[in-house]
Amino acid sequence: MKFLGVPLLALATGTAMATEQPVMEHVLVSVPLHKKTAETALPVTVLLGEDLRRAASSTIGETLSNSPGLANASFGPGVGQPVIRGQQGARVTVLQNGTSSADASNLSADHAVAVEAMLADSIEVLRGPATLLYGGGAIGGVVNVVDNRIPTTLEEGVSGGVEYRHDTASNMDTVVVRADLGSGAFAFHLDGLYRDWDDLEIPGPAAREDEHGDGHDVEHETTDGYIANTDGLTRNATLGGSYHFEEGFLGLAVSRLENTYGIPGGAHEHEDDEAGDEAEDEGGGVRLDVEQTRYDAALHWHEPLPGLEVLRGFLTFTDYEHSEIEPDGEIGTVYSNETWETRLELVHEPLGPLHGVFGLQAKNGEFSALGEEAFVPETDSLGLGLFLLEDLHWDRWTYEAGFRLDHDERSPLNHGVEDRDFLGFSVSGSIQWELNSEWMLGMALSRAERAPATEELYSNVAGESPEDWIVHAATGAIELGDPDLDSEVSNNLDLSMHWSLGSHFVDVTLFYNDFSDYINLLNTGLEVDRVPVLRYTQDDAEFYGLEIDTEFALMALADGQLALGLFGDSIRGELDTGGDVPRLPPARLGARLNWSSDRATLWAQVIDAAAQDRPGDNERASEAYTRWDMGADYLFSRGGSEFTLSLDFKNITDEEIRLSTSFLRDVAPEAGRSVELGLRLLL
């Protein structure tokens, strides 16, 4: 909940509740002004320490899903993309230590995000004005997964650990190892992850009622009690090091990810393909085989020049590729994305009352999709950005203001479509008023622009007639782009209230987002050979919502402390034409009871989600659900090492849960009742 201590083993991962104003203040890595969360009115959520360890899961979306304002867009157990205040896909930027994850997750809902929550030291989620530090593509929010692949501190000796987890819902085994070594002026880091799992167990039939995911009657039986073709295997390894000098450090790291997972049966069509139909009946389906190699370099230099406090430089090259493998074993499409990204941040010394950071960001990507089912043309993208963020502290008031200028180019190759370039201007401001030691009020305003993404512009752009349109096999839909799309503009307002007294706190946030030319993937209601047709369109839209997070220390009990947390969120999204924005999360209310002592923790949590009866045009509503979870941790020492044994009971009532944020909610519900057992060793 509010505990933000950093463990030795950062394979840790966090609780169902994150906080926007932690008691033990966390210095924000994503806002390079040495800011602590209590020193900014910018909407920020932080997960780390034991909170992060408990919440961590196989996907970043599921890891964050129980925090107010955050949700999960699942596509089976192998994929879980983060949803921030109802925004997902191209509007949510996932970072690895400040630079893009550079995978293909923004291209489609079935593509996994190539970052690991179980290897993180912390996860920072930025919303509203803070996102302008990372570009228009982050118009919905930023998720920065921070690890120690390039060691930022120099400590003598060796530390590290190992953790093992087993979850019964998919027979998932996860092993994580980590080691950190310091010697002289050098620091080294090594980590690795191995995860394998079987098909996911669920409370009943995979397909909802008597319908397939596309709304048609099923012509073959769905699986019952499990979701076919949802097994997988993940391997991840990272090696990094840094050289530390008196004014800072310089470091390098390389990581390798191999991830293979299946797409739930019913998510795709194989018309007039007897082999494909037979394979699907036997539980076969499309599988994704992912490979990514990432190289990172970082420089932190204190007082590099007169007038500058800190220089932070980042350089990343990512080589990403995944193959979509058909049920007969043939490769249907190969996606690749080679990305260079550099980022320079300069924190200047105070100019009178002003303290701030300015910098630049450049990103160049070469995307291609090759094969019979390639529906997005090979495209080169270039993005350049300049940014400035300043703050001023006066008495009990804190003022923040910033701007960003972006230039983005999209250059499709060999499809007779014109190149597009976009110029975007974003600006933000916030005020925080500390009434007294207990009360704090904040207001944040921002205007942000986002250039259309490659898939929004060019999906199926080469198809001159319905006969030429290509089905995206993994989603089972025809997706149509529009090369004439304009940039979308969002005007945002956040109002926040924070109260704290000892171990008690209450956080309340109201937000309103007004979009011009909002880009949306709408179900047209049309079909080609029983395959639904989705089209990227533009319309004005508005979003508004409420987020609440609280915790109260109830009493001392049996050498421990009993605490109660209450939390919830609600969001509405409406298009200017009068329709509802599709795939929004439902209103939720939750409570968490926690008892902790020096050695043990016991907790129980309930989340009640309302029905999503505003699903959008040609979409099906999602039913309400109530989910109960509980768990226990016990810490003990042996031979100078520290052990933590954990036991969690998930979805205790075996509730059928179909997430309204998921494209596959009609054919792939969430996991049923399960038990997760974990053992962690810290050296």
Side-chain angles (χ1 to χ4, degrees):
M1 309 242 278
K2 287 289 185 183
F3 176 75
L4 294 180
V6 179
L8 265 176
L9 185 61
L11 45 95
T13 50
T15 337
M17 290 205 290
T19 65
E20 296 192 2
Q21 301 286 353
V23 173
M24 297 180 64
E25 295 175 307
H26 168 71
V27 177
L28 295 171
V29 176
S30 306
V31 182
L33 286 176
H34 305 291
K35 283 188 174 298
K36 298 179 181 179
T37 48
E39 298 175 343
T40 177
L42 301 174
V44 177
T45 295
V46 177
L47 271 177
L48 74 163
E50 289 303 303
D51 286 349
L52 179 55
R53 186 193 67 80
R54 294 193 188 103
S57 124
S58 58
T59 70
I60 192 69
E62 186 177 354
T63 298
L64 298 171
S65 62
N66 289 329
S67 301
L70 306 178
N72 178 31
S74 65
F75 209 93
V79 181
Q81 298 188 12
V83 181
I84 302 178
R85 291 179 175 175
Q87 309 300 329
Q88 58 179 286
R91 289 185 193 84
V92 174
T93 296
V94 179
L95 308 175
Q96 184 93 55
N97 298 306
T99 57
S100 171
S101 60
D103 45 41
S105 58
N106 283 350
L107 180 70
S108 178
D110 63 301
H111 298 168
V113 181
V115 297
E116 275 291 343
M118 294 192 70
L119 295 172
D121 286 338
S122 65
I123 300 176
E124 299 177 356
V125 182
L126 310 182
R127 292 164 283 193
T131 63
L132 66 79
L133 288 170
Y134 296 97
I139 198 169
V142 170
V143 177
N144 191 13
V145 180
V146 181
D147 60 29
N148 198 46
R149 64 181 54 198
I150 296 178
T152 59
T153 59
L154 185 61
E155 298 181 9
E156 290 292 330
V158 180
S159 63
V162 60
E163 182 171 3
Y164 168 75
R165 295 189 187 188
H166 177 79
D167 190 295
T168 61
S170 57
N171 198 31
M172 179 181 289
D173 292 303
T174 303
V175 179
V176 184
V177 297
R178 170 172 172 166
D180 293 285
L181 167 66
S183 178
F186 293 91
F188 300 95
H189 172 87
L190 173 67
D191 66 47
L193 178 144
Y194 176 88
R195 178 190 298 119
D196 68 70
W197 66 97
D198 297 329
D199 289 341
L200 185 69
E201 295 181 358
I202 56 176
R208 181 157 58 167
E209 297 175 353
D210 294 324
E211 296 200 9
H212 205 45
D214 57 10
H216 290 289
D217 293 338
V218 180
E219 295 183 354
H220 58 274
E221 293 184 0
T222 183
T223 56
D224 194 348
Y226 72 100
I227 307 176
N229 195 49
T230 53
D231 59 312
L233 173 66
T234 301
R235 291 172 291 190
N236 195 321
T238 303
L239 175 64
S242 57
Y243 169 72
H244 291 252
F245 49 95
E246 185 175 354
E247 297 83 10
F249 68 87
L250 173 67
L252 300 170
V254 59
S255 63
R256 173 70 174 176
L257 168 68
E258 297 178 358
N259 187 16
T260 302
Y261 60 91
I263 298 299
H268 48 84
E269 297 287 343
H270 294 277
E271 296 298 328
D272 301 323
D273 184 346
E274 294 181 2
D277 290 338
E278 181 179 350
E280 188 171 331
D281 289 339
E282 295 174 355
V286 173
R287 300 186 65 81
L288 271 67
D289 187 0
V290 178
E291 296 182 358
Q292 177 178 282
T293 304
R294 178 185 172 105
Y295 304 88
D296 288 278
L299 170 65
H300 286 213
W301 190 359
H302 294 271
E303 299 182 356
L305 295 170
L308 293 180
E309 284 188 352
V310 181
L311 178 153
R312 300 203 312 183
F314 306 88
L315 177 64
T316 301
F317 172 70
T318 306
D319 184 6
Y320 173 93
E321 180 178 286
H322 85 247
S323 301
E324 295 193 351
I325 303 171
E326 298 292 334
D328 59 5
E330 295 293 324
I331 295 177
T333 313
V334 177
Y335 293 84
S336 65
N337 191 16
E338 292 188 358
T339 304
W340 284 94
E341 184 173 359
T342 184
R343 181 178 179 84
L344 180 65
E345 302 169 348
L346 300 167
V347 180
H348 66 74
E349 292 180 348
L351 301 174
L354 290 178
H355 187 219
V357 58
F358 61 96
L360 59 87
Q361 181 178 2
K363 182 178 179 181
N364 182 44
E366 297 180 2
F367 168 82
S368 68
L370 304 176
E372 295 181 358
E373 297 179 353
F375 63 97
V376 180
E378 185 176 354
T379 305
D380 291 345
S381 297
L382 175 66
L384 301 172
L386 299 172
F387 56 86
L388 170 68
L389 180 65
E390 297 285 338
D391 69 12
L392 182 153
H393 295 268
W394 178 70
D395 194 24
R396 292 181 177 273
W397 296 82
T398 299
Y399 303 91
E400 295 168 304
F403 81 89
R404 182 182 178 100
L405 185 66
D406 282 295
H407 176 73
D408 293 283
E409 297 180 1
R410 307 281 186 263
S411 302
L413 306 179
N414 304 322
H415 280 276
V417 182
E418 294 184 359
D419 296 354
R420 296 292 308 276
D421 62 88
F422 305 87
L423 186 65
F425 179 72
S426 302
V427 61
S428 72
S430 66
I431 301 174
Q432 181 171 277
W433 179 25
E434 186 179 350
L435 285 75
N436 51 46
S437 60
E438 299 175 8
W439 289 90
M440 195 175 296
L441 301 177
M443 180 178 71
L445 293 166
S446 65
R447 175 194 185 275
E449 288 191 53
R450 180 181 76 88
T454 299
E455 67 276 10
E456 295 170 336
L457 289 168
Y458 303 127
S459 292
N460 271 303
V461 71
E464 298 181 358
S465 65
E467 290 75 19
D468 300 323
W469 293 340
I470 297 173
V471 178
H472 185 190
T475 62
I478 295 170
E479 300 164 14
L480 304 180
D482 183 351
D484 296 322
L485 292 175
D486 295 321
S487 294
E488 64 179 20
V489 179
S490 176
N491 296 299
N492 314 302
L493 169 66
D494 279 78
L495 300 174
S496 61
M497 182 277 292
H498 172 71
W499 171 82
S500 63
L501 178 62
S503 298
H504 313 299
F505 76 85
V506 176
D507 286 325
V508 179
T509 302
L510 292 166
F511 66 90
Y512 175 78
N513 303 330
D514 183 25
F515 280 87
S516 298
D517 295 325
Y518 182 78
I519 301 172
N520 200 15
L521 183 59
L522 291 179
N523 190 331
T524 64
L526 302 176
E527 296 178 349
V528 176
D529 293 331
R530 299 187 59 188
V531 177
V533 177
L534 282 62
R535 183 183 296 275
Y536 287 101
T537 63
Q538 284 193 296
D539 191 7
D540 294 346
E542 61 178 13
F543 296 79
Y544 51 92
L546 168 70
E547 299 162 1
I548 300 174
D549 194 10
T550 73
E551 184 170 294
F552 304 95
L554 299 180
M555 66 178 74
L557 180 65
D559 296 326
Q561 181 67 45
L562 186 65
L564 174 66
L566 304 174
F567 55 97
D569 53 20
S570 177
I571 183 171
R572 281 288 309 277
E574 299 175 340
L575 299 172
D576 193 51
T577 54
D580 295 296
V581 177
R583 294 174 293 281
L584 291 184
R588 302 182 300 178
L589 285 174
R592 180 182 178 89
L593 190 64
N594 186 87
W595 176 86
S596 60
S597 68
D598 292 340
R599 291 286 181 182
T601 299
L602 300 173
W603 61 270
Q605 176 176 281
V606 59
I607 295 179
D608 186 71
Q612 180 51 278
D613 52 7
R614 298 177 181 270
D617 292 342
N618 303 305
E619 300 280 351
R620 293 187 65 192
S622 299
E623 293 81 5
Y625 65 85
T626 301
R627 172 168 174 154
W628 291 85
D629 302 278
M630 63 184 299
D633 301 333
Y634 181 70
L635 173 68
F636 60 97
S637 300
R638 289 288 186 276
S641 299
E642 193 174 272
F643 295 82
T644 300
L645 181 65
S646 62
L647 182 64
D648 295 341
F649 298 90
K650 302 180 179 181
N651 193 8
I652 297 171
T653 60
D654 209 25
E655 184 88 344
E656 182 180 285
I657 299 173
R658 297 183 185 270
L659 300 180
S660 59
T661 52
S662 172
F663 278 86
L664 292 190
R665 57 187 178 272
D666 289 334
V667 296
E670 302 305 294
R673 181 188 300 114
S674 67
V675 178
E676 182 180 83
L677 176 67
L679 179 62
R680 177 174 49 147
L681 164 64
L682 297 183
L683 301 176

